[in-house]
Amino acid sequence: MVGDGVRVYDGLLMSETTTLPTPVKKTSVAAMVIAALCIIVVIVAIGLSLKIRHRDARITDLETQLAQTKGDSGQVQTQLTAAKAESATLRKQLADAKTASDQLSKQLNETKAGSDNLQSQLGVAKSDSAMQQKQLDSLKADSGQLQTQVNDGK
């Protein structure tokens, strides 16, 4: 039981007249370690905060680049569509030109065949003309002989 003038100190019963030892101010190793750990925690927190800010800035840059790339991709897609349309137009023009070329080639072959036919007819006509000239010359000669006979018979 604790009565008047008795106090409890660290689980010990003491009278009021007993003097307690005055605590000596010592810098304990534990306090220094705790302080050092607190400083380390603050430094790590600052470092992590800087890393997070750097990462956030990097994410913002990457998002900007992504948006730019998407815009560029859309532009390239538009250009690709235009190029495909141009390609289709050029293919049609090529097919039309090929058809026209085939028609001209056919007409040229027909013209050559007609020219060859006309050459052949010209050759026949020359031959016929030469033969008729020969006959004409023969008839003139015969006519001259008849004229001579008629003149001699008079």
Side-chain angles (χ1 to χ4, degrees):
M1 224 163 112
V2 176
D4 289 327
V6 177
R7 294 185 184 184
V8 177
Y9 179 77
D10 279 340
L12 300 173
L13 294 176
M14 302 183 125
S15 66
E16 283 187 35
T17 57
T18 312
T19 59
L20 294 173
T22 53
V24 179
K25 283 191 174 181
K26 299 190 230 178
T27 328
S28 72
V29 174
M32 291 176 72
V33 168
I34 289 174
L37 287 175
C38 287
I39 292 172
I40 290 173
V41 166
V42 168
I43 291 173
V44 168
I46 290 171
L48 289 176
S49 174
L50 289 175
K51 281 186 177 182
I52 289 172
R53 283 189 200 145
H54 178 70
R55 186 208 58 202
D56 289 346
R58 180 74 176 136
I59 287 172
T60 303
D61 289 344
L62 288 174
E63 286 173 344
T64 303
Q65 289 175 0
L66 178 62
Q68 177 71 31
T69 302
K70 283 182 179 179
D72 292 347
S73 175
Q75 184 179 9
V76 168
Q77 188 65 35
T78 302
Q79 290 174 349
L80 176 62
T81 302
K84 284 181 180 179
E86 180 75 18
S87 175
T89 302
L90 290 175
R91 283 186 186 146
K92 185 178 182 323
Q93 289 175 354
L94 178 62
D96 292 346
K98 198 172 188 180
T99 301
S101 174
D102 290 344
Q103 288 175 351
L104 287 174
S105 180
K106 182 179 176 184
Q107 289 175 357
L108 178 62
N109 289 337
E110 289 172 356
T111 302
K112 282 182 181 179
S115 174
D116 291 344
N117 189 18
L118 288 175
Q119 266 314 97
S120 175
Q121 289 176 4
L122 180 62
V124 169
K126 282 182 180 180
S127 174
D128 287 347
S129 175
M131 192 164 50
Q132 287 176 358
Q133 186 65 41
K134 190 176 180 184
Q135 287 176 352
L136 180 62
D137 290 342
S138 175
L139 287 174
K140 280 183 183 179
D142 288 344
S143 169
Q145 284 178 356
L146 282 175
Q147 187 69 30
T148 305
Q149 288 175 2
V150 168
N151 287 339
D152 286 344
K154 280 187 185 182

